[in-house]
Amino acid sequence: MSVLAVAGLAGCSEDPDAGTNGVGKLPPEQIQSRTQRAAASVAAVHLSGTVVAGGATYKLDMRLKSGGSTGSVTADGASFQLLRVGEQLYLKAGADFWTHEDGKDGDASDTAAADKLEGKYVKVPQGDPAYQRFSGFTDKNTLLGSLLTLHGALATDGHHEQGGVRTIRITGDDGSGGTLDVSLEGQPYPLRLVRAGGAGTLVFSDWGKDFAVQKPPKGETVDYGKQLPTS
């Protein structure tokens, strides 16, 4: 009877890594490397959540791939759409966005100009500060390359679930250096990232799911040339 009892207890202890891709059994450093390689090897991803950078909080909902990106960004109460086709970056927003400057509305001439830009795709010149500020949100390799590295000593923090998918969680400095949930099903893609220092939380989905990007029609595009208006 005692032998049967021991056998029964052994049968009840399930292996949390059974039927998975096996990364849950690896040291945390190898898990981080595997997920970085998996993210770099696939063409497209959907990223959503918040990023705190330069004292500002950005709410992102972006679809990213090497040839271009599309999605929306909200910052300081203003929302706008970003579209990148190759190296060309376009910004589309309402009139309120174009009159917003230091928290105040512009004068009547600014308002009139903003009304003309409402709903238009404004081409952002590569030499304009706005290009440097926003293009990083549309570059898959640059964005993920900077995000998917935890800070400090790495450790595993048990098995979890994200969007119905089993994950293994790794942490940096017991969580103060960020946490990353990695898929245990299929490829070890990153599924959820909590950035170090409260610098935002991001969810990754639709890995490898392609989407179309194309230049907006000329009738819906505004090109100021080398620099955007100051406002």
Side-chain angles (χ1 to χ4, degrees), residues 14 24 43 49 68 82 119 134 153 161 187 197:
E14 297 181 0
L82 290 176
F134 297 132
E161 185 178 291
Q187 294 297 316

Side-chain angles (χ1 to χ4, degrees), residues 48-63:
S48 60
T50 58
V51 170
V52 180
T57 299
Y58 300 92
K59 183 178 179 181
L60 308 180
D61 188 358
M62 299 293 301
R63 291 188 176 275

Side-chain angles (χ1 to χ4, degrees), residues 160-168 181-186 191:
H160 299 267
E161 185 178 291
Q162 174 64 36
V165 177
R166 289 179 293 171
T167 67
I168 183 71
D181 278 53
V182 177
S183 176
L184 289 173
E185 302 177 18
L191 297 184

Side-chain angles (χ1 to χ4, degrees), residues 67-80:
S69 304
T70 182
S72 64
V73 178
T74 300
D76 296 329
S79 296
F80 52 94

Side-chain angles (χ1 to χ4, degrees), residues 16-81:
D17 292 300
T20 71
N21 54 26
V23 296
K25 297 181 178 181
L26 299 176
E29 293 81 8
Q30 291 188 31
I31 297 174
Q32 179 173 257
S33 297
R34 290 280 186 93
T35 195
Q36 289 171 339
R37 290 200 299 270
S41 68
V42 73
V45 65
H46 180 199
L47 177 154
S48 60
T50 58
V51 170
V52 180
T57 299
Y58 300 92
K59 183 178 179 181
L60 308 180
D61 188 358
M62 299 293 301
R63 291 188 176 275
L64 311 169
K65 65 179 182 179
S66 58
S69 304
T70 182
S72 64
V73 178
T74 300
D76 296 329
S79 296
F80 52 94
Q81 295 179 341

